Amino acid sequence: MFEISKRNKNEKAFGNWDTFPNGRRIYWFELKGKRGWSAKYLKEVDKFEETIRFWQEIFNEKNELVEIHEKYPVDKGHIKIIK
């Protein structure tokens, strides 16, 4: 079973989450930029609260996804979304 302290820590740090039937969770929080852009930080964990993936999504002033930066398990750098 998962450690309660890990779950509590993730819930407190991110404030938002979705739970899936297999026990997996995705936590997230959003930051608003000064020029209307925003960043969403996401963390995916398994049913034991072990991190599977951590990434950042960047949205422009129209709330369109323009960039993804996957940081874990491998830092893939910034990937521009072309429309």
Side-chain angles (χ1 to χ4, degrees):
M1 194 68 184
F2 64 88
E3 285 185 47
I4 296 292
S5 61
K6 280 186 179 181
R7 178 165 282 184
N8 288 343
K9 183 179 175 183
N10 284 327
E11 288 176 355
K12 184 176 180 181
F14 288 88
N16 304 286
W17 61 87
D18 290 318
T19 305
F20 299 90
N22 63 0
R24 183 175 61 95
R25 280 183 155 200
I26 295 180
Y27 295 96
W28 79 91
F29 71 91
E30 295 182 53
L31 294 174
K32 300 292 181 189
K34 294 179 182 177
R35 296 186 176 131
W37 286 46
S38 63
K40 186 174 186 179
Y41 291 84
L42 302 104
K43 179 179 183 178
E44 181 179 359
V45 299
D46 64 16
K47 64 183 177 183
F48 304 108
E49 289 292 309
E50 294 297 325
T51 303
I52 297 170
R53 183 176 173 217
F54 183 77
W55 71 103
Q56 176 186 32
E57 297 177 345
I58 305 297
F59 296 87
N60 65 15
E61 70 281 349
K62 297 176 186 173
N63 203 33
E64 298 169 325
L65 180 64
V66 295
E67 195 170 282
I68 295 173
H69 183 184
E70 187 166 333
K71 299 177 180 220
Y72 181 88
V74 175
D75 189 337
K76 296 180 180 177
H78 293 268
I79 300 166
K80 301 250 187 239
I81 306 299
I82 300 170
K83 296 189 180 209

